[in-house]
Amino acid sequence: LKLPFALGPHRLVLAIAGAMGAAHGCDTVADGSERRTRSVPRLAPDPAALDHVAVDQHLDALRAIEVAEGGKRDATRRLDEADRVTKISQRLVEQLRQEADRLRTGLSETEGQLARSREECAELVRGREIAELEKEQMRADLAKARHELREAHRDGEVLRQQVARLTKERVDLSRRLDLTSAEEAKARAACAQLEQVKIDQWLLHDGAMCFPGREGTMTRVA
């Protein structure tokens, strides 16, 4: 069977729904501007009520209705999933917000610690520079002390040489003094002997002058 006139897909669905409602006692919406029927039972069509609609078109319309209802169920399921995902997303956003707040707090603390670490590092650098300056000063002082020590060693060596020379001279002088003292002793002894001889001669001369007769005797005794 074929339709006596051309029907669009929407009007075809409405016609089928109206015929099925009339055949089974269901209320329908007669106005073509309305887009839905109040009740569309899923029943086999009545050929007497749908003599102007082909069976194939009726089945196609039923399949279209089922597809539409399936699409509605899918849309509802997707909407539910979207709501669930939205709630999950909101929870995740809240957790991320809390995590961001925690990270901001940790970042602030880390920045404070970093600033303190930088200050401590600057202090350490200044301390190191001062230590380097002190080390250089100590090196200069040590070099100066070593130079002075070498000078002192040289001066000590010169003094030792002078002391050795003076000691040698003192020994020589002592030897000379000993020799001079011995010669002086000898000279003193010679002088004393010479004086004694002169005294004896003087006494003999005086005795001869006082006792002329005894001159020969004294001469013989002498």
Side-chain angles (χ1 to χ4, degrees), residues 64-111:
I65 292 172
E66 291 177 354
V67 169
E69 290 180 352
K72 181 179 179 181
R73 288 192 298 272
D74 292 339
T76 303
R77 179 176 54 80
R78 292 177 182 177
L79 181 61
D80 294 337
E81 292 179 355
D83 291 337
R84 185 173 64 257
V85 170
T86 301
K87 292 178 181 179
I88 294 173
S89 300
Q90 289 177 353
R91 288 195 297 270
L92 289 175
V93 168
E94 184 63 25
Q95 292 176 359
L96 291 174
R97 186 179 295 110
Q98 294 176 0
E99 184 68 16
D101 293 337
R102 187 182 65 80
L103 291 176
R104 288 193 189 95
T105 303
L107 179 61
S108 300
E109 295 176 355
T110 304
E111 288 177 349

Side-chain angles (χ1 to χ4, degrees), residues 44-173:
D46 185 3
L50 297 175
D51 54 355
H52 61 285
V53 179
V55 175
D56 293 336
Q57 292 180 349
H58 177 69
L59 295 176
D60 292 337
L62 288 177
R63 283 194 292 270
I65 292 172
E66 291 177 354
V67 169
E69 290 180 352
K72 181 179 179 181
R73 288 192 298 272
D74 292 339
T76 303
R77 179 176 54 80
R78 292 177 182 177
L79 181 61
D80 294 337
E81 292 179 355
D83 291 337
R84 185 173 64 257
V85 170
T86 301
K87 292 178 181 179
I88 294 173
S89 300
Q90 289 177 353
R91 288 195 297 270
L92 289 175
V93 168
E94 184 63 25
Q95 292 176 359
L96 291 174
R97 186 179 295 110
Q98 294 176 0
E99 184 68 16
D101 293 337
R102 187 182 65 80
L103 291 176
R104 288 193 189 95
T105 303
L107 179 61
S108 300
E109 295 176 355
T110 304
E111 288 177 349
Q113 293 176 359
L114 180 61
R116 290 192 295 272
S117 298
R118 286 177 178 173
E119 292 177 357
E120 293 176 355
C121 183
E123 291 292 334
L124 291 175
V125 170
R126 286 193 292 270
R128 181 178 179 182
E129 292 176 352
I130 294 173
E132 290 290 335
L133 293 175
E134 291 178 352
K135 183 174 71 174
E136 293 297 329
Q137 184 64 35
M138 290 179 65
R139 286 180 178 176
D141 294 340
L142 181 59
K144 183 178 179 181
R146 287 177 178 174
H147 178 71
E148 293 177 353
L149 182 60
R150 287 193 294 268
E151 293 291 333
H153 281 308
R154 284 196 293 269
D155 294 341
E157 186 64 27
V158 171
L159 289 175
R160 280 192 294 272
Q161 293 176 0
Q162 292 177 356
V163 169
R165 186 176 65 253
L166 291 175
T167 302
K168 184 178 179 182
E169 291 177 357
R170 184 176 64 81
V171 171
D172 292 339
L173 290 174

